[in-house]
Amino acid sequence: MNDRAPAPGGLALVQELVNTLNLETGVDSLAAEDALSALGLAPGEVAAARELRESLRAACLAHAGHGPHAPVADLSQLLAAGPLLVTVDAASGAASLAPADASSLTSRVASAIADAAASGTWPRLKACEAPDCHWAYYDRSPAARSRWCDMGVCGSRAKMRAYRLRRA
């Protein structure tokens, strides 16, 4: 929906999952076969992926200082179903969390969030504040205060609405 660079590292998977639903048009790409294969999902896992997606969207909205867009399942409980393993690099001794089951979307998302939380990038994955958008984007602004996925579309609309309210 915008020209922003994707989120770094594993957060790109989280961003991609959240952005499988275009709220403005109602198009849900989780219904398409190519999206299922891109995310590594079997057709029977779509309902769980949608539930995870909406809980992730609520977390991204919280990062931007907004409440959830709808009642959603607790993200912590959903991620608990995706077990992680601690892996230690023999050469460097560095430890990290890895999915216990690399084919599990929930495990891959949990691992990405854990890595991002450890590196401090998790709070920068936000959702656009426009109610008809809520597109996930990675906030690269120096102060981490970006509000919209795209200033040219959602930001312009919001500023024009505010202008018209002031002029009315």
Side-chain angles (χ1 to χ4, degrees), residues 27-145:
V27 174
D28 184 353
S29 63
L30 283 181
E33 284 296 319
D34 56 337
L36 295 179
S37 62
L39 292 170
L41 291 174
E45 298 172 313
V46 172
R50 284 185 175 133
E51 183 177 43
L52 179 60
R53 173 186 65 200
E54 296 312 314
S55 293
L56 287 167
R57 186 184 316 279
C60 291
L61 281 165
H63 291 163
H66 304 290
H69 60 298
V72 295
D74 181 38
L75 184 56
S76 298
Q77 290 179 347
L78 294 177
L79 294 176
L84 300 175
L85 297 173
V86 176
T87 59
V88 179
D89 184 293
S92 68
S96 64
L97 291 173
D101 177 9
S103 67
S104 166
L105 177 64
T106 304
S107 289
R108 289 183 288 140
V109 166
S111 175
I113 291 172
D115 288 345
S119 69
T121 58
W122 171 235
R124 285 186 173 259
L125 186 64
K126 299 178 178 181
C128 181
E129 76 174 40
D132 60 343
C133 181
H134 293 319
W135 201 253
Y137 66 94
Y138 187 76
D139 185 356
R140 295 180 189 275
S141 66
R145 297 175 125 188

Side-chain angles (χ1 to χ4, degrees), residues 3 14 18 25-26 28 43 49 58 61 67 73 81 88 93 99-100 102 110 114 123 149-150 159 161 164-165 167-168:
D3 294 332
V14 178
V18 172
T25 64
D28 184 353
L61 281 165
V88 179
C149 64
D150 188 352
K159 288 184 175 199
R161 279 187 214 110
R164 286 182 182 148
L165 277 172
R167 302 292 286 172

